[in-house]
Amino acid sequence: MTQVSSPAEQADGTVVGEQRKAAGVKDVRRLNRVIIRFAGDSGDGMQLTGDRFTSETASFGNDLSTLPNFPAEIRAPAGTLPGVSSFQLHFADHDILTPGDAPNVLVAMNPAALKANIADLPRGAEIIVNTDEFTKRAMAKVGYAASPLEDGSLDGYHLHPVPLTTLTVEALKDFDLTRKEAERSKNMFALGLLSWMYHRPTEGTEKFLTSKFAKKPDIAAANIAAFRAGWNFGETTEDFAVSYEIAPATTAFPTGTYRNISGNLALSYGLVAASRQADLPLFLGSYPITPASDILHELSKHKNFGVRTFQAEDEIAGIGAALGAAFGGSLAVTTTSGPGVALKSETIGLAVSLELPLLVIDIQRGGPSTGLPTKTEQADLLQAMYGRNGEAPVPIVAPRTPADCFDAALEAARIALTYRTPVFLLSDGYLANGSEPWRIPDLDELPDLRVQFAQGPNHTLDDGTEVFWPYKRDPQTLARPWAIPGTPGLEHRIGGIEKQDGSGNISYDPANHDFMVRTRQAKIDGIDVPDVEVDDPHGARTLVLGWGSTYGPITAAVRRLRTAGEAIAQAHLRHLNPFPANLGTVLEGYDKVVIPEMNLGQLAALVRARYLVDAHSYNQVNGMPFKAEQLATALKEAIDG
């Protein structure tokens, strides 16, 4: 964790201190930001390497944003393009919003990693390659007829050929390890080298390795030795004449205590916080599915906070158990991705009919069907809005950044508990696996989510008898009472067949059904959500409207356009059902509305239908987040068009 309390100013590209070559000391250059991508085989530990570099960067106080990218297969074929795993980290001395469009530095552990990523690099970027892996067989496997390290194809880059495997094995020769075992530590050698290049702290990584391999101290010692050897190699080799400093981003953050956090971890913490603020036990009924499984893994660690996790045999059982827990008085949650939502749809409809609080967390991924399990997409919005039989309205909340997943979980819980309804929370793979600094909130900043269970009769019959009516509603929220089963005198019927207004008896009366359908819709329409805020400092005529994880790329693109002298307004939606009350007025205030989405225009379709606004879609469904430059170009065309 990092304490931020004072400002500091930095300049891009300035040289820190005097030239010190005469004294045998390497130059140190100060940058204001850098984008690094680690890439290698699925078994090369690139995600662990990137995560450790990120953790040390966060502890140093930089602002950061990450983009893990890995195959869906448990172990993709070694040395092939589909088997490449990468981790991109953008860190800076100022506020940043995206993992960056193009890496300044690529660490390529083999030919496949180089070929899969070289197209993303700008000319002049630095490439560190593990030369030991550039064998004829490995290069032929990915289509290299000649070595790219020797044929001149990389002349436009700063190439650093490093025999990472050989150096790692040499560094570990005194350990009782086989060569294959020693080679596995080459990612730690690379991490040590990059830690030297960018002046990253090292103590945290060494403590992490000691803890991770506590039951195998020899392996821990070997990884630490490889890590230190990489650092020393950077310090002593002539190939790396310059190292770089990126100062802490103290001007980017309000005063507070910060930690690095991923979207799924923030969401997990938000659920625990919501249960504590509601003074209710938390129950998660779930079935493992990428990229939502991390929430199940994390919540299972927190039994001390009254959390119960149930890994069901399938998606339907998971939500069925969660809905049962809601009936029993718990803050109930089920987690999944798009394919699981399809299986859960009938039980979500049952929750609508029963009018019980339930959080349905959908970590969206590429579809349809199994689709792209490890890639990101925003294509479940219409499924969340309409993917049930009958008129079954459900509120929808969407976080915009990894850290914002914490607040979005609290907001989803507020709506579910206050209005007695299932609520969709739409995150996605980019937010779930990406990370950024998060300010740990004080307890007094968290909302009070406590609810009052039904305690006794709430209705008097014509003959004066006092009874409990399970569908007698709060006049403000239209929520029905939440009665814990087993409470004397509060016995009531549940099930999916239509209920009579008030009494909750089974009813096939046409007028009653019409009334109940309209009442359930009115309850959702009447949910109190904040007005959408518009960022428009220059009186623009074009508005860019977004939702979910497009916030970072959209905001970065808007900043670029404003720096170039363009006037453009920005608004971002957290609440997608119901929409903020002022959204229609906001949209009417602009000549053009552009909606970038990682789908084929789902929010745009809803906006056109609801507000009769000719919103323009800008869409991408390639499994990757938008790039800021790409959006800036599209928005500039919209302004000029």
Side-chain angles (χ1 to χ4, degrees):
M1 298 182 184
T2 301
Q3 192 75 22
V4 178
S5 57
S6 61
E9 295 183 0
Q10 308 297 339
D12 185 14
T14 58
V15 179
V16 179
E18 301 292 331
Q19 295 290 331
R20 299 175 291 172
K21 290 183 180 178
V25 180
K26 296 184 178 183
D27 291 340
V28 180
R29 292 186 182 149
R30 180 166 293 168
L31 305 175
N32 67 5
R33 69 185 185 98
V34 72
I35 303 166
I36 299 174
R37 183 181 296 176
F38 299 92
D41 224 21
S42 292
D44 284 340
M46 294 297 93
Q47 302 305 317
L48 175 63
T49 304
D51 183 69
R52 288 315 313 160
F53 196 92
T54 299
S55 295
E56 298 295 2
T57 296
S59 69
F60 189 70
N62 296 117
D63 194 11
L64 61 91
S65 180
T66 67
L67 178 62
N69 187 13
F70 43 88
E73 290 79 9
I74 293 174
R75 185 64 175 91
T80 64
L81 294 175
V84 172
S85 173
S86 68
F87 189 105
Q88 184 163 306
L89 166 67
H90 182 193
F91 61 104
D93 67 359
H94 57 278
D95 176 33
I96 57 173
L97 298 155
T98 74
D101 289 357
N104 307 115
V105 181
L106 172 66
V107 180
M109 303 297 280
N110 60 19
L114 178 64
K115 188 160 191 177
N117 291 280
I118 189 65
D120 293 338
L121 269 65
R123 291 292 174 172
E126 293 193 75
I127 304 175
I128 301 171
V129 295
N130 179 15
T131 56
D132 289 324
E133 295 296 322
F134 278 72
T135 63
K136 288 185 178 180
R137 184 172 182 272
M139 289 187 290
K141 189 180 289 188
V142 295
Y144 281 128
S147 173
L149 310 183
E150 300 171 355
D151 65 3
S153 60
L154 301 179
D155 287 350
Y157 306 95
H158 296 296
L159 181 64
H160 301 279
V162 180
L164 287 172
T165 306
T166 300
L167 291 170
T168 303
V169 172
E170 177 64 21
L172 303 183
K173 64 182 180 181
D174 294 333
F175 289 82
D176 186 20
L177 299 172
T178 65
R179 179 179 177 86
K180 187 174 183 179
E181 289 172 334
E183 288 179 358
R184 290 174 182 164
S185 296
K186 63 181 180 289
N187 64 323
M188 288 297 105
F189 189 100
L191 178 59
L193 173 57
L194 269 292
S195 297
W196 171 83
M197 282 183 66
Y198 290 95
H199 294 237
R200 299 296 91 185
T202 60
E203 296 82 359
T205 293
E206 294 192 9
K207 289 180 180 178
F208 168 82
L209 293 170
T210 300
S211 174
K212 180 177 176 64
F213 299 106
K215 296 182 179 180
K216 298 179 179 180
D218 291 344
I219 299 297
N223 276 282
I224 291 172
F227 176 68
R228 291 175 177 174
W231 197 95
N232 292 330
F233 177 77
E235 180 72 13
T236 57
T237 184
E238 294 183 1
D239 191 38
F240 294 91
V242 177
S243 64
Y244 304 93
E245 282 187 350
I246 294 91
T250 47
T251 58
F253 306 117
T255 300
T257 300
Y258 288 79
R259 60 157 292 167
N260 180 50
I261 201 165
S262 67
N264 273 352
L265 183 56
L267 209 159
S268 300
Y269 287 174
L271 293 173
V272 175
S275 75
R276 293 298 82 208
Q277 293 302 108
D279 197 22
L280 296 174
L282 178 66
F283 181 91
L284 173 66
S286 184
Y287 180 76
I289 183 172
T290 301
S293 300
D294 290 341
I295 302 171
L296 172 61
H297 301 159
E298 181 61 33
L299 289 180
S300 67
K301 302 175 184 177
H302 297 292
K303 295 181 179 67
N304 57 315
F305 288 113
V307 178
R308 290 185 179 181
T309 52
F310 172 60
Q311 180 174 320
E313 66 269 29
D314 55 40
E315 295 281 5
I316 299 172
I319 190 173
L323 185 56
F327 179 57
S330 292
L331 177 59
V333 184
T334 189
T335 53
T336 190
S337 191
V341 173
L343 293 168
K344 295 177 189 290
S345 62
E346 182 180 2
T347 308
I348 297 171
L350 176 59
V352 172
S353 176
L354 296 182
E355 300 188 48
L356 287 171
L358 174 68
L359 302 187
V360 181
I361 296 175
D362 177 6
I363 313 297
Q364 300 167 97
R365 70 188 203 187
S369 187
T370 308
L372 303 175
T374 61
K375 308 304 180 185
T376 196
E377 207 164 274
Q378 287 183 300
D380 295 350
L381 175 56
L382 294 183
Q383 181 186 34
M385 184 76 77
Y386 300 121
R388 293 163 297 284
N389 64 295
E391 296 288 348
V394 174
I396 303 172
V397 174
R400 62 185 188 180
T401 69
D404 187 47
C405 289
F406 178 87
D407 295 316
L410 286 164
E411 174 64 359
R414 177 191 73 85
I415 294 172
L417 294 170
T418 303
Y419 296 90
R420 310 285 197 271
T421 177
V423 177
F424 261 102
L425 192 156
L426 291 184
S427 179
D428 60 42
Y430 170 38
L431 295 184
N433 297 316
S435 59
E436 66 175 346
W438 172 57
R439 187 182 69 81
I440 301 173
D442 295 328
L443 286 177
D444 58 8
E445 298 176 47
L446 301 180
D448 184 352
L449 300 178
R450 287 174 294 182
V451 296
Q452 183 68 46
F453 292 118
Q455 300 297 317
N458 61 358
H459 182 73
T460 303
L461 299 178
D462 291 341
D463 62 4
T465 304
E466 292 187 341
V467 296
F468 173 67
W469 272 16
Y471 282 84
K472 188 166 186 175
R473 301 178 182 279
D474 180 285
Q476 270 70 50
T477 65
L478 298 182
R480 77 175 187 91
W482 193 0
I484 301 301
T487 306
L490 303 188
E491 297 84 0
H492 60 285
R493 181 180 288 104
I494 63 169
I497 296 179
E498 185 64 278
K499 309 297 185 299
Q500 183 179 354
D501 175 46
S503 71
N505 295 327
I506 290 176
S507 173
Y508 296 97
D509 178 64
N512 177 78
H513 177 60
D514 182 272
F515 178 82
M516 292 294 278
V517 167
R518 294 179 186 277
T519 300
R520 287 189 289 261
Q521 182 66 57
K523 181 173 69 170
I524 304 307
D525 292 341
I527 290 173
D528 181 23
V529 303
D531 283 348
V532 63
E533 296 181 359
V534 182
D535 176 20
D536 184 7
H538 304 117
R541 304 314 308 156
T542 299
L543 171 72
V544 54
L545 179 68
W547 70 277
S549 66
T550 57
Y551 173 79
I554 288 174
T555 306
V558 166
R559 287 181 180 179
R560 294 188 186 196
L561 289 172
R562 290 176 180 170
T563 300
E566 299 289 344
I568 187 167
Q570 178 186 0
H572 208 79
L573 294 175
R574 161 168 285 181
H575 297 90
L576 297 156
N577 192 34
F579 285 132
N582 70 329
L583 180 58
T585 302
V586 166
L587 296 174
E588 291 172 359
Y590 293 90
D591 296 337
K592 296 179 183 177
V593 177
V594 182
I595 305 180
E597 297 180 81
M598 291 186 293
N599 56 47
L600 294 182
Q602 297 188 13
L603 175 61
L606 293 173
V607 166
R608 290 191 191 107
R610 174 71 179 274
Y611 300 106
L612 304 181
V613 170
D614 186 20
H616 300 270
S617 287
Y618 183 75
N619 308 113
Q620 172 178 295
V621 281
N622 62 6
M624 298 294 288
F626 283 112
K627 293 181 178 180
E629 185 62 34
Q630 166 194 3
L631 278 181
T633 300
L635 295 176
K636 178 65 165 63
E637 291 174 355
I639 294 171
D640 295 341

